[in-house]
């Protein structure tokens, strides 16, 4: 066995402190708490009330924010509120200090001087600045702290944005960076990109420039803000909020501040003349229209409608958000080279606008690559993970044909059409086909391709986020049908079952496929993991097929399908090898039931798990209610009803957990199930759990022939609570009918309280109620409506 590369101990972070309880500071503290890191949240002493009142108020506010910074609201109580007058002693046993106060160099430097005497000799100190000089900040620190200081820039909102920029100073110790990278990647679940110490680093330098170029060309081509958002959102692989909606969400004052930072700190940038807020942005700010937080910005709500600012009229008008027919047709072209050629050749102002914004983004990014990042990979990941683009700027350029696009950019520079006359760097036109290839990604500073990081933490990512053209080992197929593929990766004896259906929904081929694959695994393998090659885990049953059987009057076939669903869940539960479900994204209905019957579930933090059948007028009948009844009986054999209260409400109201931690609170995950913070580590951890179970002699639970149930008394108690909901118009008659059947299944049917039943009794109850509900006119209407609109029908 080889010795570790460094003799220094690994960076262990048991406790952290966040300085500054503003929007970012409080949310960083929340996410560290999500990850089970004990966290102290500091702010200034309050003038009135409790001395740590500012931090206390920020912690309370975390419960109200949307999207939720806390993966489970009960965790708010674990954050320790503190103030700089009384509580600096907390810093003495803290392993990581993250400063997240306002972007004022003088304020940050004053705070560092104040805390420095209290920071432990082994602690790492980091600034969450979004653009100030990390080396400049380091100068305020005592000599002994400087080698443990770095920039750590989270993107907003910190729980959901994958990107964290790590910005070392000239003196930051390499072991500090390696330890922090491992902590941020595995414990906090982030994608780490190293940035050079230049203003706004990588993400905001390129992302904000892209917004500035978009704003410039909005004026140049005289387009409406809503039209620009129609062009710069999902149509080009970017988030729905596109450009101006994003600015409203971020806050127009914040946007203006970032632009001013660029203007103040990048005087020598060839694009400097564009680093200013357009007149209409400044005008909105002067009026106090700062975007979403003030109720008006580029957009605002007028009754139920969304209206958009019309600069010419100086008033709001109805928002249309639509591309022209010609541009919509061009954007629908699959081949990027053909798409870009047609955009550039078109006379449609919208097409010219799109070409111009991409051209200037490519030009700017190539020009600055050597200054801001080690490789093109870092730039593309920073923009994808920090701004939610499907492809980074270099990937987009490369996909469209590197040399052809470079030639067009040069032609536009020569013709004076580009925003800047700055030359394209020589490496751009040296005959290359792009910046990403088999040998790695291009480094302009080193003038060479560099492979991905060899940091040990990335060995846990069996399928990392791929760059354009990157291919990873797809494993060896053991068996497959039209519904699933059973395959192996490596020689560890773990089979992986992946679905082949759209949204990984469950149909007959998937049900039969899982059962057969488990049989093959019992003969040839030591364990199985159910893992999908992309999100979601499973959106549940194939409703179209189910509704087709009902409408054709094939009730027996429908009943057989339900029985097959249950058979599959029981096959998962009673397999002779451990079956582990690796869940990320949606796990609804049948997807939720499969993971409930697994030996273990390993769930990514961002897993949204729920038994949602009540929303389409049905009840869970893949064994889900049977499994909840068994768990209730096991947790409290004398009175299963106590344990059923919480899960009844969850199922009857079709609740979906907002995270894996919340799913555990709701009883849809077990305490023994594992939560993973980095989704790219999910398969690795699931395989390790499966191997551990197999190696420890795991055996499936025995078939349960004596399940104590809550019986008719339990069902009657649930029905009484439903009557109150109906009386208050919070539930329709059909809602109550569905919920009553759910109660009957959970409580074991119309039998005496405390009666003992077997598992088949509970499964039969599920089948009976499911098939009867499915034949009702109102349930069929709900299914049809959900299929047509994607939304539930209340009838």
């Amino acid at each position: 066995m080889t010795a570790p590369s460094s003799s220094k101990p690994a960076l262990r972070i048991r406790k952290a402190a966040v300085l500054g309880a503003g929007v970012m500071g409080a949310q960083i503290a929340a996410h560290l708490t999500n990850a089970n890191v004990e966290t102290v949240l500091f702010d200034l002493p309050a003038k009135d009330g409790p001395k740590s009142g500012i931090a206390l108020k920020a912690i309370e506010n975390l419960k109200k924010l949307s999207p939720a910074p806390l993966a489970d609201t009960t965790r708010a109580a674990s954050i320790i509120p503190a103030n700089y007058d009384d509580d600096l002693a907390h810093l003495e046993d803290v392993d990581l200090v993250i400063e997240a106060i306002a972007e004022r160099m003088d304020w940050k430097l004053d705070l560092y001087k104040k805390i420095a005497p209290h920071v432990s000799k082994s602690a790492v100190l980091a600034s969450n600045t979004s653009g100030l000089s990390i080396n400049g900040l380091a100068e305020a620190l005592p000599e002994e702290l400087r080698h443990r200081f770095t920039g750590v820039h989270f993107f907003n909102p910190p729980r959901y944005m994958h990107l964290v920029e790590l910005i070392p100073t000239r003196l930051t110790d390499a072991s500090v960076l390696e330890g922090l990278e491992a902590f941020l990647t595995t414990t906090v679940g982030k994608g780490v990109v190293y940035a050079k110490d230049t203003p706004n680093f990588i993400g905001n330098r390129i992302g904000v420039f892209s917004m500035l170029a978009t704003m410039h060309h909005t004026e140049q081509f005289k387009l409406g803000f809503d039209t620009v958002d129609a062009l710069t959102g999902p149509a080009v692989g970017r988030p729905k909020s596109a450009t101006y909606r994003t600015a409203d969400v971020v806050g127009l004052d914040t946007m203006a501040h970032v632009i001013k930072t660029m203007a103040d700190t990048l005087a020598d940038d060839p694009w400097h003349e564009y680093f200013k807020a357009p007149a209409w942005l400044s005008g909105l700010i002067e009026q106090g229209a700062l975007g979403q937080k003030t109720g008006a910005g580029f957009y605002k709500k007028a009754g139920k409608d969304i209206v958009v600012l019309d600069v010419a009229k100086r008033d709001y008008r109805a928002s249309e958000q639509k591309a022209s027919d010609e541009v919509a047709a061009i954007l629908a072209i699959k081949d990027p080279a053909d798409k870009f050629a047609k955009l550039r050749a078109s006379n449609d102002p919208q097409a010219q606008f799109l070409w111009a914004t991409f051209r200037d983004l490519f030009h700017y990014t190539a020009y600055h690559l050597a200054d801001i990042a080690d490789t093109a990979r870092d730039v593309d990941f920073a923009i994808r993970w920090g701004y939610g683009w499907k492809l980074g700027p270099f990937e987009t350029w490369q996909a469209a044909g590197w040399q052809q696009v470079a030639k067009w950019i040069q032609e536009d520079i020569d013709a004076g059409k580009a925003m800047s006359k700055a030359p394209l760097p020589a490496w751009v036109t040296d005959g290359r086909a792009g910046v990403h290839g088999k040998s790695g990604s291009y480094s302009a500073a080193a003038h060479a391709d560099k492979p991905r990081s060899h940091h040990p933490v990335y060995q846990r990512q069996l399928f990392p986020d791929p760059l354009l053209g990157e291919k990873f080992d797809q494993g060896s197929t053991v068996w497959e049908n039209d519904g699933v593929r059973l395959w192996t990766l490596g020689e560890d004896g773990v089979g992986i079952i992946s679905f082949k259906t759209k949204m990984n929904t469950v149909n007959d081929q998937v049900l039969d496929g899982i059962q057969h694959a488990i049989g093959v695994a019992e003969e040839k393998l030591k364990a199985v993991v159910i893992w999908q090659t992309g999100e979601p885990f499973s959106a549940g049953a194939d409703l179209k097929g189910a509704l087709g059987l009902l409408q054709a009057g094939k009730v027996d076939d429908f009943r057989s399908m339900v029985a097959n669903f249950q058979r599959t869940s029981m096959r998962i539960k009673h397999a002779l090898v451990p079956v582990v479900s690796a869940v990320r994204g949606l796990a609804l209905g049948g997807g939720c039931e499969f993971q409930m019957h697994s030996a273990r579930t390993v769930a990514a933090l961002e897993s949204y798990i729920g038994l949602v059948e009540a929303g389409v007028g049905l009840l869970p009948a893949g064994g889900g209610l049977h499994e909840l009844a068994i768990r209730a009986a096991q947790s409290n054999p004398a009175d299963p009803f106590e344990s059923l209260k919480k899960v009844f409400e969850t199922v009857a109201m079709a609740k979906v957990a907002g995270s894996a931690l919340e799913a555990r609170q709701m009883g849809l995950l077990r305490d023994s199930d594992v939560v993973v913070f980095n989704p790219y580590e999910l398969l690795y951890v699931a395989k390790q759990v499966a191997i551990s179970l197999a190696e420890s002699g795991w055996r499936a639970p025995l078939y349960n022939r004596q399940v104590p149930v809550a019986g008719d008394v339990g069902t009657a108690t649930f029905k009484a609570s439903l009557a109150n909901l109906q009386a208050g118009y919070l539930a329709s008659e059909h809602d109550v009918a569905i919920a009553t059947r759910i109660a009957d299944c959970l409580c074991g049917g119309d039998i005496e309280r405390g009666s003992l039943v077997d598992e088949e009794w509970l499964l039969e109850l599920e089948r009976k109620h499911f098939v009867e509900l499915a034949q009702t006119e109102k349930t069929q209407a709900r299914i049809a409506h959900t299929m047509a609109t994607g939304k539930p029908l209340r009838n």
Side-chain angles (χ1 to χ4, degrees):
M1 198 169 148
T2 55
S5 58
S6 169
S7 58
K8 294 187 178 182
L11 181 66
R12 300 285 185 199
I13 295 173
R14 289 182 176 82
K15 188 174 181 181
V18 177
L19 312 179
V23 175
M24 279 302 282
Q27 291 196 66
I28 291 168
H31 195 55
L32 290 171
T33 306
N34 288 337
N36 282 1
V37 178
E38 186 178 20
T39 303
V40 188
L41 180 61
F42 279 88
D43 211 298
L44 295 165
K47 289 174 183 163
D48 303 307
K51 203 88 175 278
S52 297
I54 295 173
L56 277 164
K57 190 175 176 185
I59 293 165
E60 194 55 35
N61 193 47
L62 288 170
K63 301 176 195 171
K64 303 171 194 165
L65 291 178
S66 178
L70 292 159
D72 160 15
T73 51
T74 64
R75 294 191 171 225
S78 298
I79 304 172
I80 303 162
N83 68 83
Y84 302 123
D85 278 5
D86 300 343
D87 302 312
L88 290 178
H90 269 300
L91 297 175
E92 289 161 15
D93 65 344
V94 156
D95 305 302
L96 172 64
V97 181
I98 299 176
E99 168 271 305
I101 68 168
E103 291 289 271
R104 283 270 303 265
M105 181 73 90
D106 53 341
W107 290 0
K108 290 180 190 283
L109 298 181
D110 285 347
L111 181 59
Y112 293 177
K113 283 171 189 157
K114 187 168 192 164
I115 65 162
H118 302 273
V119 176
S120 113
K121 287 189 167 52
S122 59
V124 173
L125 177 59
S127 175
N128 182 59
T129 176
S130 58
L132 296 177
S133 167
I134 302 298
N135 282 290
L137 290 169
E139 287 166 14
L141 297 169
E143 198 70 40
E144 68 271 15
L145 261 178
R146 290 184 189 179
H147 69 284
R148 289 182 280 117
F149 176 71
T150 184
V152 173
H153 180 216
F154 286 81
F155 272 60
N156 192 19
R159 173 182 158 189
Y160 300 94
M161 298 311 291
H162 193 57
L163 178 65
V164 170
E165 292 176 315
L166 201 49
I167 313 102
T169 71
R170 288 183 288 272
L171 301 173
T172 312
D173 195 314
S175 65
V176 166
L177 295 168
E178 285 168 22
L180 208 46
E181 185 171 5
F183 169 76
L184 290 166
T185 303
T186 291
T187 305
V188 190
K190 296 302 169 193
V192 173
V193 164
Y194 279 83
K196 295 185 180 181
D197 187 15
T198 54
N200 287 4
F201 313 127
I202 301 172
N204 284 341
R205 181 75 175 270
I206 302 302
V208 174
F209 174 80
S210 176
M211 292 184 83
L212 283 168
T214 302
M215 289 176 174
H216 169 72
H217 292 303
T218 299
E219 286 188 310
Q220 192 183 22
F221 293 100
K222 298 180 171 52
L223 300 180
F225 301 128
D226 51 343
T227 300
V228 170
D229 277 356
L231 297 171
T232 59
V236 290
R238 297 181 194 171
K240 273 195 246 178
S241 54
T243 302
Y244 293 105
R245 184 81 193 95
T246 296
D248 273 356
V249 171
V250 168
L252 304 193
D253 51 343
T254 305
M255 185 80 200
H257 173 75
V258 174
I259 295 168
K260 186 176 185 304
T261 302
M262 288 179 80
D264 293 347
T265 56
L266 294 167
D268 296 333
D269 192 303
W271 283 262
H272 185 266
E273 65 180 287
Y274 300 101
F275 299 167
K276 60 179 187 289
W280 29 264
L281 177 58
S282 303
L284 284 167
I285 294 168
E286 281 166 24
Q287 292 166 30
L290 306 179
Q292 191 170 274
K293 59 189 170 188
T294 60
F298 292 110
Y299 296 91
K300 72 174 184 179
K301 255 190 149 182
K304 289 185 179 177
D305 298 322
I306 301 289
V307 291
V308 64
L309 180 68
D310 187 315
V311 174
K313 293 179 182 173
R314 298 191 176 189
D315 200 358
Y316 289 86
R317 60 167 171 78
S319 172
E320 291 166 3
Q321 285 230 359
K322 191 171 176 292
S324 69
D325 292 345
E326 181 183 338
V327 170
I330 293 172
L331 292 176
I333 295 169
K334 290 276 192 292
D335 176 22
D338 188 18
K339 185 186 299 186
F340 270 83
K342 285 193 165 61
L343 281 176
R344 188 166 189 268
S346 172
N347 289 320
D348 187 311
Q350 293 183 15
Q352 292 174 344
F353 160 83
L354 275 173
W355 161 251
T357 55
F358 275 111
R359 173 200 65 214
D360 292 321
L361 171 64
F362 297 159
H363 185 190
Y364 189 83
T365 309
Y367 184 87
H368 286 296
L369 174 59
D371 308 331
I372 65 173
D374 186 36
T375 69
R377 180 192 307 108
D378 299 322
V379 173
D380 280 343
F381 278 152
I383 293 299
R384 276 167 48 172
W385 295 343
Y387 280 76
W389 295 14
K390 281 188 181 166
L391 291 178
F394 285 127
E395 289 177 292
T396 306
W397 181 351
Q398 185 168 327
W402 185 271
Q403 289 301 333
Q404 177 59 74
V405 170
K407 183 169 171 285
W408 288 335
I409 295 170
Q410 191 59 58
E411 284 173 9
D412 281 10
I413 294 170
D414 295 342
K417 291 180 180 176
M419 286 169 72
S420 169
K421 291 178 180 162
L424 275 173
W427 60 264
V428 169
T429 51
D430 64 3
R432 65 179 52 252
V435 288
H436 304 302
K438 285 182 182 172
S439 54
S441 295
Y442 183 68
S443 168
H447 195 48
D449 289 345
K450 290 191 176 182
R452 278 179 177 258
S453 168
H454 294 298
H455 192 303
V457 76
Y458 298 115
Q459 290 170 17
R460 298 166 60 87
Q461 298 187 13
L462 303 179
F463 290 90
D465 196 358
L467 280 164
L468 181 76
E470 266 189 317
K471 294 279 189 288
F472 302 110
D473 182 1
Q474 299 301 302
S476 305
T477 301
V478 179
W479 177 84
E480 64 184 323
N481 69 352
D482 289 341
V484 308
R485 177 188 179 220
L486 172 67
W487 53 289
T488 55
L489 189 66
E491 304 294 325
D492 55 14
V494 178
I496 302 163
I497 295 176
S498 302
F499 299 178
K500 296 180 177 182
T501 48
K502 188 179 179 183
M503 295 284 284
N504 298 319
T505 51
V506 181
N507 59 18
D508 286 335
Q509 285 90 353
V510 171
L511 295 171
D512 295 342
I514 291 172
Q515 292 175 52
H516 187 83
I518 289 173
V520 173
E522 288 172 338
E523 289 176 29
K524 299 181 177 180
L525 301 164
K526 66 166 72 164
V528 169
V529 170
I530 302 176
W531 177 81
Q532 314 298 7
T533 53
E535 291 186 20
F537 177 72
S538 175
D542 171 19
L543 287 175
K544 188 178 178 185
L547 186 62
L549 289 173
L550 289 169
Q551 289 174 336
K554 297 180 177 177
V555 177
D556 287 344
D557 289 351
F558 182 76
R559 189 178 284 109
S560 297
M561 185 193 77
V562 179
N564 200 23
F565 224 122
Q566 292 182 334
R567 221 171 9 256
T568 306
S569 291
M570 297 304 280
R571 190 78 180 88
I572 290 169
K573 183 173 182 175
H574 294 287
L576 295 175
V577 292
V579 179
V580 171
S581 286
V583 175
R584 60 184 163 163
L586 294 173
L588 305 178
C592 175
E593 288 172 302
F594 288 162
Q595 67 80 24
M596 287 173 72
H597 287 84
S598 302
R600 286 284 185 286
T601 295
V602 178
L605 178 71
E606 300 309 332
S607 295
Y608 311 113
I609 302 172
L611 293 168
V612 295
E613 287 83 352
V616 288
L618 293 165
L619 51 76
L625 297 178
H626 133 279
E627 183 64 20
L628 289 172
I630 288 171
R631 289 183 190 179
Q634 287 170 340
S635 68
N636 194 347
D639 187 9
F641 185 78
E642 278 307 303
S643 299
L644 290 174
K645 286 179 187 171
K646 180 169 64 180
V647 292
F648 170 70
E649 187 181 318
T650 295
V651 181
M653 296 181 72
K655 287 184 179 177
V656 177
S659 72
L661 299 181
E662 200 175 293
R664 191 182 273 158
Q665 290 277 329
M666 288 163 61
L668 299 174
L669 287 181
R670 298 156 290 197
D671 289 343
S672 58
D673 291 332
V674 179
V675 177
V676 173
F677 273 60
N678 194 316
Y680 298 106
E681 294 184 356
L682 181 67
L683 179 58
Y684 170 85
V685 177
K687 289 183 89 182
Q688 295 303 313
V689 168
I691 291 166
S692 170
L693 288 171
E695 296 292 346
S696 60
W698 177 90
R699 294 285 298 177
L702 291 168
Y703 179 82
N704 202 327
R705 289 182 168 78
Q706 292 197 316
V707 183
V709 293
D712 50 9
V713 175
T715 305
T717 310
F718 283 136
K719 277 183 80 172
S721 66
L722 292 170
N724 293 335
L725 283 174
Q726 192 176 0
Y729 301 103
L730 297 171
S732 70
E733 189 180 333
H734 197 50
D735 290 331
V736 171
I738 298 161
T740 302
R741 289 175 185 268
I742 289 169
D744 196 55
C745 290
L746 288 171
C747 295
D750 190 15
I751 54 176
E752 199 175 321
R753 180 181 184 173
S755 297
L756 300 175
V757 301
D758 64 10
E759 291 193 49
E760 183 49 45
W761 172 277
L762 295 169
L763 291 168
E764 171 57 36
L765 256 181
E766 267 187 15
R767 286 198 299 275
K768 169 180 162 294
H769 282 305
F770 187 88
V771 173
E772 286 174 4
L773 264 178
Q775 292 177 82
T776 66
E777 191 180 316
K778 287 189 173 178
T779 283
Q780 290 189 23
R782 285 192 181 194
I783 296 172
H785 185 270
T786 301
M787 281 170 51
T789 67
K791 294 174 182 174
L793 171 70
R794 292 295 302 279
N795 59 356

